[in-house]
Structures are given as structure tokens and as C-alpha cells.
């Protein structure tokens, strides 16, 4: 403190006046901006917003959240439900920018105001993320050349044609490449937001947030967008129970004869009926189930590759390695490293 003597006709007083060095300037609160546009996908925005909201209950100094758009006011989602958005503000106030996807992304990725804003945010080194097809906005802004990225699986071919210089990882739930994050379709934005919470506030708060959201677990970025049972043409048909049973008994041989016997049909009739209903042969369906379960174990556990191969019916690790390369383009060890890095 420094002293100052103030003269008064009746008395002399000594008043403490704070020095400049004693004063502290509060840092501005961190801010997460969620960028939307007409016909955005509601859950692309609402999912991550809910994650950040719940995390703020557990974390000290949690960021503020605001919805922003090129045109302020009510912004209509593809469902018809609207979100009230603010006009793009000073880029210096944002610590994270998250861009939603949706049916209106093509128009948004051609909007000069939107692209200019995203470019300015990126120039400051701010963390930027996209959910689903929001990656198209990042690509149009020139932020993805040479970077690893993912988007919704239905957009894969369109994205690859439009942006050949981007390293697309179509099978990943979310991908981080430096300060640029991207996630697959819709609910994967929740996984991405949880990963951000873990980075900002620690794994414990991320786990508490996931439990509050009644999520079974937080998926790693390297896990697949796809489910073999969902990919089959008619998983809810007459072979649904058989396929579910097979998935739970992958350590068994599961030959076509075994499956036919389980279905109560002759082998020949079973094979024809199975192909007609599911669009694939019994043997290929079983291999896809084995691959899915094996991949999940490789990515989410420290279980030795040999034990994964045994438990999922591949038996031989080399046989599993060849199947992984055919299906995913990478051996199990590479997928494990990628999952840990994500």
C-alpha cells in the first residue's frame, strides 16, 4: 500500500490507497460458442451443450456457453425446433468454437460471413470442433488440409470428392488433430464434448458428467461408428435372436452347420434364407461380428492381442491381423495406438 495525506480544515487523516501493483485484473471468463445455421441438426448442438452444462456443475471456473449464428435471433433446426442465437461477436472471447452439422450445412459452408468468422477464430489458435457434417464448414474455411478428420458415415463419399487433401477417418467416432476436433454423426458429438471436458477438467469430472447423463461409458475416439448387427439388412427379422446369440458365443466354432442347427433348419435352406434376409452369407456375418467385438476389445482394453483372438473365435492372432487389415486397413496394434491417441 502507499500512503496519502488528505488535509481537512478540522483534522488530518491518513488514508490507505491501493497501489497499482496490488490491484488484480480478473481474467475474462472462458466462452464456448456453438455455431448453428438454418436447418442444423438439433442434437448436434444440444448434445454437447448438455455435456458442458453438466460438467459446469462439477468444475470450478467452467466456461460460459452461447449459441451463435450469422443471423441472430431464432434459428430453425431441421426438426422445426428453434434455438435463440446471438450474432457472431469478438473472436477473442471464445476459447472453444463448436460447429453443428445438419441438412443446411451446404448453405452454411458457402456463407461468407460464417467462413470469415471461423477463419478469424482459427487464426487465434482457438480450439475448434465440428459435429457430424459440420466438418464441411471447417473444410471450406481451409482448416482441414493435411489434417485427420471424421464426419458422418453417410457423407464420406461426398466429403472425399470435395476435399481430397483431407485425411478422412470415416470409421472413427471423433478425431483430434492439434487444436481441431471433429466427430461423427449426431450422438458422437457427446463423446467429443466429454473428451474436451476430460482435457479441460480431468477424467473424474468427465466420468461424473457421463454418469449424470446416464451414459454407460465414454467411448474413445478410435471406436467405430458402425455396428455389424445394425449394418445387416434385416437384423430385426427371424435371424435376429440367432445373431444376438452368436455374438455372445464368438469363442465357439459357429460353423454354418452349427448355426443352421440352432435355427432348426437344414444347412442348405438356412444359407439361402439367411442371405435373402440379411444380404450376406452366414460365414461373413459371423466374421463381421468377430471383427466388431475384437476391435472393441483391442481399442478399449489392455488385453493381449493373443487373448482377444482366442476369445473372439479367430484363434490365431495372425488370422485376426489379416482380417483387421481387410476390414479396417490397419492391424490390431495400429488401431489400439490410434484409440489411445484419440
Amino acid at each position: 500500500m502507499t500512503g496519502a495525506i488528505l488535509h481537512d480544515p478540522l483534522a488530518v487523516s491518513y488514508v490507505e490507497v491501493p497501489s497499482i501493483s496490488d490491484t488484480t485484473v480478473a481474467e475474462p471468463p472462458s466462452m464456448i460458442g456453438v455455431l448453428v445455421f438454418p436447418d442444423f441438426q438439433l442434437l448436434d448442438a444440444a448434445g454437447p451443450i448438455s455435456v458442458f452444462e453438466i460438467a459446469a456443475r462439477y468444475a470450478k471456473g467452467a466456461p460460459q456457453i452461447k449459441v451463435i449464428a450469422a443471423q441472430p435471433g431464432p434459428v430453425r433446426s431441421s426438426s422445426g425446433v428453434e434455438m435463440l442465437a446471438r450474432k457472431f461477436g469478438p473472436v477473442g472471447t471464445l476459447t472453444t468454437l463448436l460447429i453443428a452439422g445438419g441438412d443446411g450445412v451446404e448453405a452454411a459452408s458457402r456463407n461468407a460471413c460464417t467462413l470469415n468468422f471461423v477463419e478469424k477464430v482459427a487464426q487465434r489458435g482457438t480450439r475448434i470442433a465440428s459435429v457430424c457434417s459440420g466438418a464441411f464448414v471447417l473444410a471450406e474455411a481451409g482448416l482441414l488440409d493435411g489434417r485427420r478428420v471424421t464426419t458422418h458415415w453417410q457423407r464420406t463419399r461426398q466429403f472425399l470428392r470435395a476435399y481430397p487433401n483431407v485425411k478422412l477417418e470415416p470409421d472413427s467416432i471423433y478425431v483430434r488433430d492439434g487444436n481441431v476436433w471433429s466427430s461423427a454423426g449426431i450422438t458422437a458429438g457427446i463423446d467429443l464434448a466429454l473428451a474436451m471436458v476430460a482435457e479441460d477438467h480431468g477424467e473424474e469430472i468427465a466420468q461424473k458428467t457421463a454418469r449424470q447423463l446416464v451414459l454407460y461409458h465414454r467411448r474413445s475416439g478410435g471406436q467405430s461408428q458402425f455396428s455389424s448387427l445394425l449394418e445387416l439388412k434385416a437384423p430385426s427379422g427371424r435371424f435376429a435372436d440367432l445373431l444376438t446369440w452368436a455374438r455372445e458365443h464368438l469363442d465357439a466354432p459357429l460353423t454354418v452347420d452349427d448355426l443352421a442347427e440352432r435355427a432348426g433348419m437344414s444347412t442348405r435352406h438356412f444359407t439361402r434364407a439367411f442371405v435373402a434376409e440379411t444380404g450376406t452369407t452366414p460365414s461373413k456375418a459371423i466374421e463381421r461380428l468377430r471383427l466388431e467385438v475384437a476391435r472393441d476389445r483391442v481399442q478399449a482394453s489392455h488385453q493381449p492381442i493373443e487373448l482377444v483372438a482366442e476369445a473372439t473365435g479367430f484363434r490365431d492372432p495372425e488370422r485376426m491381423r489379416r482380417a483387421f487389415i481387410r476390414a479396417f486397413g490397419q492391424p490390431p496394434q495400429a488401431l489400439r495406438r490410434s484409440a489411445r491417441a484419440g
Side-chain angles (χ1 to χ4, degrees), residues 5 8 23 27 43 58 75 79 93 95 122 138 150-151 175 189 201 205 208 217 229 231 256 266 268 300 315 318:
I5 299 176
D8 185 89
T23 60
E27 293 185 2
L43 193 55
Y58 300 112
V75 180
S79 69
T93 62
T95 52
L138 295 183
T150 192
T151 189
V175 170
H201 307 294
I205 288 179
K208 287 182 178 179
H217 67 294
L229 286 178
E231 287 182 52
V256 176
S266 70
R268 185 176 181 181
R315 308 298 181 195
E318 177 58 25

Side-chain angles (χ1 to χ4, degrees), residues 35-38 69-71 87-88 104-119 137 140-141:
L35 192 157
V36 299
F37 43 80
Q71 294 295 325
K87 175 69 175 176
F88 295 151
V105 74
E106 283 84 0
S109 63
R110 294 191 299 269
N111 185 289
C113 179
T114 297
L115 295 179
N116 183 57
F117 176 75
V118 173
E119 290 171 7
V137 176
E140 281 295 324

